[in-house]
Amino acid sequence: MIIQPGIAKANMGVSREDVTFEDHPLNPNPDSRWNTYFRDNEVLLQIDKDVRRLCPDISFFQRATEYPCLLILDPQNEFETLRKRVEQTTLKSQTVARNRSGVTNMSSPQKNPAPSMNEYVVLPNGCEAHWEVVERILFIYAKLNPGIAYVQGMNEIVGPLYYTFATDPSSEWREHAEADTFFCFTNLMAEIRDNFIKSLDDSQCGITYKMEKVYSTLKDKDVELYLKLQEQNIKPQFFAFRWLTLLLSQEFVLPDVIRIWDSLFADSNRFDFLLLVCCAMLILIREQLLEGDFTVNMRLLQDYPITDVCQVLQKAKELQDSQ
């Protein structure tokens, strides 16, 4: 799925397929492998841009993996890595200026700005950075799931999963981090993919319904705070869109995200607990929100001030027990 048409491995040697008249780079046929290759490049460029800036506050994703994909990296095979494919293509990626809710800021202000592509240390031939492994996972997921393909933000979902497997104390587990992550990411996306499908936004399984559920839960638990946010016209899509779609992965540092996910994945009602965590986050800063104006409160919600996730989870559990 990631090897350029026209290049194939045969009999453990190197051979280049003949480029026939039926299929060539200028072939307009939509079924052409080359046509698919160029379409895939648009998706790949967006994935590449996103995975290079994964968790910029830690260096893990920029470091070389112990277990690169040897088949692709073997110089005898003449296979093109995704990184080289990105560097060689001249197509321009679609710039994602706004997300579906019209909010332009998908990355948390709390995180360090990502360095530009040129600032990264180029790894020597035969090495593969952890972000390149994540890129391959997302690209193959997009190829296997054309109905959803790749949507910006999926990189923030796959990142903590891969980090967990790739830093396992057991080398036997670390060796299979890529496959394990792909399996878990695919299963997780099967449960939360509706958040990423725009046509489902306003359905009962879509993100709009879930954002409104956060506010309706808040209204039940703290009507004064709910009315304050309503009065200031602070809509849930201004902050809860990111909280819910990315499972809070942008609001806290990575070790805390992993702790929160332990609780989310243990939820027998599949992410109902996430709505309570979001509600708890609002209630824990209620005094600041009640005192603040629109600008102050938006800053609080888009750069959440509390760093103690145990406090957040404890409050969410209290809300759950009081239902």
Short mmCIF file of all heavy atoms in Angstrom, two decimals, residues 228-253:
data_model
loop_
_atom_site.label_atom_id
_atom_site.label_comp_id
_atom_site.label_asym_id
_atom_site.label_seq_id
_atom_site.Cartn_x
_atom_site.Cartn_y
_atom_site.Cartn_z
N LYS A 228 -24.26 31.05 33.44
CA LYS A 228 -23.19 32.02 33.22
C LYS A 228 -22.57 31.84 31.82
O LYS A 228 -22.36 32.81 31.08
CB LYS A 228 -22.11 31.87 34.29
CG LYS A 228 -20.89 32.76 34.11
CD LYS A 228 -21.19 34.22 34.38
CE LYS A 228 -19.94 35.07 34.36
NZ LYS A 228 -20.21 36.49 34.63
N LEU A 229 -22.29 30.59 31.47
CA LEU A 229 -21.70 30.31 30.15
C LEU A 229 -22.70 30.64 29.04
O LEU A 229 -22.32 31.16 27.98
CB LEU A 229 -21.28 28.83 30.06
CG LEU A 229 -20.15 28.40 31.01
CD1 LEU A 229 -19.90 26.91 30.91
CD2 LEU A 229 -18.86 29.18 30.72
N GLN A 230 -23.97 30.37 29.28
CA GLN A 230 -25.01 30.71 28.30
C GLN A 230 -25.12 32.22 28.13
O GLN A 230 -25.24 32.73 27.00
CB GLN A 230 -26.37 30.15 28.76
CG GLN A 230 -26.49 28.65 28.69
CD GLN A 230 -26.63 28.13 27.27
OE1 GLN A 230 -25.66 28.04 26.54
NE2 GLN A 230 -27.85 27.81 26.88
N GLU A 231 -25.08 32.92 29.24
CA GLU A 231 -25.19 34.38 29.23
C GLU A 231 -24.04 35.01 28.42
O GLU A 231 -24.23 35.98 27.70
CB GLU A 231 -25.15 34.89 30.68
CG GLU A 231 -25.16 36.40 30.84
CD GLU A 231 -24.75 36.80 32.26
OE1 GLU A 231 -25.20 36.13 33.22
OE2 GLU A 231 -23.99 37.76 32.40
N GLN A 232 -22.84 34.41 28.54
CA GLN A 232 -21.68 34.95 27.81
C GLN A 232 -21.59 34.39 26.39
O GLN A 232 -20.65 34.69 25.66
CB GLN A 232 -20.39 34.63 28.58
CG GLN A 232 -20.29 35.37 29.90
CD GLN A 232 -18.95 35.15 30.58
OE1 GLN A 232 -18.19 34.26 30.25
NE2 GLN A 232 -18.66 35.99 31.57
N ASN A 233 -22.59 33.59 26.03
CA ASN A 233 -22.64 32.99 24.69
C ASN A 233 -21.39 32.15 24.39
O ASN A 233 -20.87 32.15 23.28
CB ASN A 233 -22.81 34.08 23.62
CG ASN A 233 -23.35 33.50 22.31
OD1 ASN A 233 -24.02 32.47 22.31
ND2 ASN A 233 -23.03 34.14 21.21
N ILE A 234 -20.90 31.45 25.43
CA ILE A 234 -19.76 30.54 25.25
C ILE A 234 -20.33 29.19 24.85
O ILE A 234 -20.86 28.45 25.68
CB ILE A 234 -18.91 30.44 26.54
CG1 ILE A 234 -18.27 31.79 26.84
CG2 ILE A 234 -17.84 29.36 26.39
CD1 ILE A 234 -17.43 31.82 28.11
N LYS A 235 -20.26 28.89 23.57
CA LYS A 235 -20.84 27.66 23.05
C LYS A 235 -19.88 26.49 23.29
O LYS A 235 -18.66 26.67 23.30
CB LYS A 235 -21.11 27.80 21.55
CG LYS A 235 -22.07 28.94 21.22
CD LYS A 235 -22.33 29.01 19.74
CE LYS A 235 -23.13 30.25 19.35
NZ LYS A 235 -24.41 30.35 20.05
N PRO A 236 -20.43 25.28 23.46
CA PRO A 236 -19.55 24.14 23.74
C PRO A 236 -18.56 23.86 22.61
O PRO A 236 -17.47 23.36 22.87
CB PRO A 236 -20.53 22.97 23.94
CG PRO A 236 -21.82 23.41 23.34
CD PRO A 236 -21.85 24.90 23.48
N GLN A 237 -18.93 24.21 21.36
CA GLN A 237 -17.99 23.93 20.26
C GLN A 237 -16.73 24.77 20.34
O GLN A 237 -15.73 24.46 19.70
CB GLN A 237 -18.65 24.10 18.89
CG GLN A 237 -19.34 25.41 18.64
CD GLN A 237 -20.83 25.30 18.87
OE1 GLN A 237 -21.25 24.73 19.87
NE2 GLN A 237 -21.62 25.85 17.96
N PHE A 238 -16.72 25.83 21.16
CA PHE A 238 -15.52 26.65 21.30
C PHE A 238 -14.40 25.90 22.02
O PHE A 238 -13.23 26.24 21.89
CB PHE A 238 -15.83 27.94 22.08
CG PHE A 238 -16.75 28.88 21.35
CD1 PHE A 238 -17.36 29.92 22.03
CD2 PHE A 238 -17.00 28.75 20.00
CE1 PHE A 238 -18.22 30.81 21.38
CE2 PHE A 238 -17.85 29.62 19.34
CZ PHE A 238 -18.46 30.65 20.02
N PHE A 239 -14.77 24.89 22.83
CA PHE A 239 -13.74 24.16 23.58
C PHE A 239 -14.01 22.65 23.62
O PHE A 239 -13.10 21.85 23.53
CB PHE A 239 -13.61 24.70 25.01
CG PHE A 239 -14.88 24.59 25.81
CD1 PHE A 239 -15.11 23.49 26.63
CD2 PHE A 239 -15.86 25.58 25.75
CE1 PHE A 239 -16.29 23.38 27.36
CE2 PHE A 239 -17.05 25.47 26.48
CZ PHE A 239 -17.26 24.37 27.28
N ALA A 240 -15.29 22.27 23.76
CA ALA A 240 -15.62 20.85 23.95
C ALA A 240 -15.42 20.04 22.67
O ALA A 240 -15.24 18.82 22.73
CB ALA A 240 -17.06 20.69 24.43
N PHE A 241 -15.43 20.70 21.52
CA PHE A 241 -15.18 19.98 20.26
C PHE A 241 -13.82 19.29 20.33
O PHE A 241 -13.69 18.10 20.05
CB PHE A 241 -15.24 20.96 19.08
CG PHE A 241 -14.96 20.32 17.75
CD1 PHE A 241 -15.99 19.75 17.02
CD2 PHE A 241 -13.67 20.27 17.23
CE1 PHE A 241 -15.73 19.14 15.80
CE2 PHE A 241 -13.41 19.68 16.00
CZ PHE A 241 -14.45 19.11 15.29
N ARG A 242 -12.81 20.04 20.75
CA ARG A 242 -11.46 19.47 20.84
C ARG A 242 -11.37 18.48 22.00
O ARG A 242 -10.76 17.41 21.87
CB ARG A 242 -10.43 20.59 21.01
CG ARG A 242 -8.99 20.11 20.90
CD ARG A 242 -8.02 21.27 20.95
NE ARG A 242 -7.89 21.80 22.32
CZ ARG A 242 -7.38 23.00 22.60
NH1 ARG A 242 -7.01 23.80 21.62
NH2 ARG A 242 -7.27 23.39 23.85
N TRP A 243 -11.97 18.82 23.13
CA TRP A 243 -11.92 17.92 24.28
C TRP A 243 -12.46 16.54 23.91
O TRP A 243 -11.88 15.51 24.27
CB TRP A 243 -12.76 18.49 25.43
CG TRP A 243 -12.19 19.72 26.08
CD1 TRP A 243 -11.11 20.45 25.67
CD2 TRP A 243 -12.68 20.37 27.27
NE1 TRP A 243 -10.90 21.51 26.52
CE2 TRP A 243 -11.83 21.48 27.51
CE3 TRP A 243 -13.73 20.11 28.15
CZ2 TRP A 243 -12.04 22.34 28.59
CZ3 TRP A 243 -13.93 20.96 29.22
CH2 TRP A 243 -13.09 22.08 29.45
N LEU A 244 -13.60 16.52 23.22
CA LEU A 244 -14.28 15.25 22.94
C LEU A 244 -13.66 14.49 21.78
O LEU A 244 -13.44 13.28 21.88
CB LEU A 244 -15.77 15.51 22.66
CG LEU A 244 -16.59 16.03 23.85
CD1 LEU A 244 -17.97 16.50 23.38
CD2 LEU A 244 -16.75 14.96 24.92
N THR A 245 -13.39 15.17 20.68
CA THR A 245 -12.86 14.45 19.51
C THR A 245 -11.48 13.88 19.78
O THR A 245 -11.15 12.79 19.33
CB THR A 245 -12.80 15.34 18.25
OG1 THR A 245 -12.08 16.54 18.56
CG2 THR A 245 -14.17 15.67 17.72
N LEU A 246 -10.65 14.61 20.52
CA LEU A 246 -9.28 14.17 20.76
C LEU A 246 -9.11 13.49 22.12
O LEU A 246 -7.98 13.23 22.54
CB LEU A 246 -8.31 15.36 20.64
CG LEU A 246 -8.39 16.13 19.31
CD1 LEU A 246 -7.31 17.20 19.25
CD2 LEU A 246 -8.28 15.19 18.11
N LEU A 247 -10.22 13.20 22.79
CA LEU A 247 -10.19 12.49 24.09
C LEU A 247 -9.23 13.16 25.08
O LEU A 247 -8.49 12.50 25.79
CB LEU A 247 -9.78 11.02 23.89
CG LEU A 247 -10.60 10.19 22.88
CD1 LEU A 247 -10.10 8.76 22.85
CD2 LEU A 247 -12.08 10.23 23.23
N LEU A 248 -9.26 14.50 25.07
CA LEU A 248 -8.48 15.33 26.01
C LEU A 248 -6.97 15.21 25.81
O LEU A 248 -6.20 15.64 26.66
CB LEU A 248 -8.84 14.99 27.47
CG LEU A 248 -10.31 15.25 27.85
CD1 LEU A 248 -10.62 14.66 29.21
CD2 LEU A 248 -10.61 16.75 27.85
N SER A 249 -6.54 14.66 24.68
CA SER A 249 -5.10 14.46 24.47
C SER A 249 -4.34 15.76 24.27
O SER A 249 -3.11 15.78 24.38
CB SER A 249 -4.87 13.53 23.27
OG SER A 249 -5.37 14.11 22.09
N GLN A 250 -5.06 16.86 24.00
CA GLN A 250 -4.38 18.14 23.81
C GLN A 250 -4.43 19.01 25.06
O GLN A 250 -3.80 20.06 25.10
CB GLN A 250 -5.04 18.90 22.65
CG GLN A 250 -4.70 18.34 21.28
CD GLN A 250 -3.36 18.84 20.78
OE1 GLN A 250 -3.26 19.94 20.26
NE2 GLN A 250 -2.33 18.05 20.94
N GLU A 251 -5.17 18.58 26.06
CA GLU A 251 -5.37 19.43 27.24
C GLU A 251 -4.36 19.15 28.35
O GLU A 251 -4.19 19.97 29.25
CB GLU A 251 -6.80 19.26 27.79
CG GLU A 251 -7.91 19.31 26.75
CD GLU A 251 -7.75 20.43 25.75
OE1 GLU A 251 -7.52 21.58 26.16
OE2 GLU A 251 -7.85 20.15 24.54
N PHE A 252 -3.74 17.98 28.30
CA PHE A 252 -2.82 17.59 29.37
C PHE A 252 -1.54 17.02 28.76
O PHE A 252 -1.51 16.66 27.59
CB PHE A 252 -3.48 16.53 30.28
CG PHE A 252 -4.75 17.00 30.93
CD1 PHE A 252 -5.99 16.72 30.38
CD2 PHE A 252 -4.71 17.74 32.11
CE1 PHE A 252 -7.17 17.16 30.97
CE2 PHE A 252 -5.88 18.18 32.73
CZ PHE A 252 -7.10 17.90 32.16
N VAL A 253 -0.49 16.94 29.58
CA VAL A 253 0.76 16.36 29.10
C VAL A 253 0.58 14.84 28.95
O VAL A 253 -0.31 14.25 29.56
CB VAL A 253 1.94 16.68 30.05
CG1 VAL A 253 2.24 18.16 30.04
CG2 VAL A 253 1.65 16.18 31.47
#
